[in-house]
Structures are given as structure tokens and as C-alpha cells.
Amino acid sequence: MGVKEELLLYLKKQNIGINQLAKELNIEIEKLIDNTYELKAGEFCEICAYLQVNPWDFYKRENRNIRK
């Protein structure tokens, strides 16, 4: 599951409306719900700041080939 999917899962668990979030942050709703659109890093950080959560909370290291 990618970062955007983790974010959407968090919103659902916290009962936070995607439409309201997109409206308040002036982010196109398609960027949140449509997999063909990418969420820019700045938009992701803006969402995390709005939600008062650490962006790293949405990042999963499993199944990734990265250096430690």
C-alpha cells in the first residue's frame, strides 16, 4: 500500500471527510481519490500539517529496496 492509500485509510479511520479536506486545502479531490493523479509532496505535507500528523506515519518500509 502506498502513501496515498495509507492517507485515505487514516482519513476513513478518523472519520474525516475527503471532500471537506480537499475544499479546505484547495486540493483537487481527484488527486486524493483517483489513482491516475499524483499527489505532490507539498500537497501531502500540507495535508499532514492540517491533520497534525507526522508524514512518516504514512510511510511503510516493507517490500522496498532501500539503503539503511
Side-chain angles (χ1 to χ4, degrees):
M1 194 177 313
V3 171
K4 188 159 79 169
E5 291 82 11
E6 292 286 341
L7 173 63
L8 291 174
L9 184 61
Y10 175 83
L11 293 174
K12 185 175 182 176
K13 286 181 180 178
Q14 297 298 318
N15 200 28
I16 298 171
I18 298 170
N19 290 324
Q20 185 65 26
L21 177 78
K23 182 179 178 183
E24 288 189 27
L25 296 179
N26 197 28
I27 296 174
E28 296 173 41
I29 188 74
E30 290 82 10
K31 288 187 174 185
L32 295 172
I33 60 173
D34 190 338
N35 286 334
T36 59
Y37 289 88
E38 290 189 13
L39 191 61
K40 294 181 181 177
E43 294 167 330
F44 177 68
C45 289
E46 192 175 341
I47 291 169
C48 290
Y50 175 83
L51 297 172
Q52 297 180 2
V53 295
N54 185 336
W56 286 102
D57 292 344
F58 300 106
Y59 180 76
K60 302 287 184 201
R61 285 187 182 247
E62 62 247 9
N63 300 325
R64 300 198 187 231
N65 294 325
I66 58 172
R67 291 183 183 174
K68 291 184 178 182

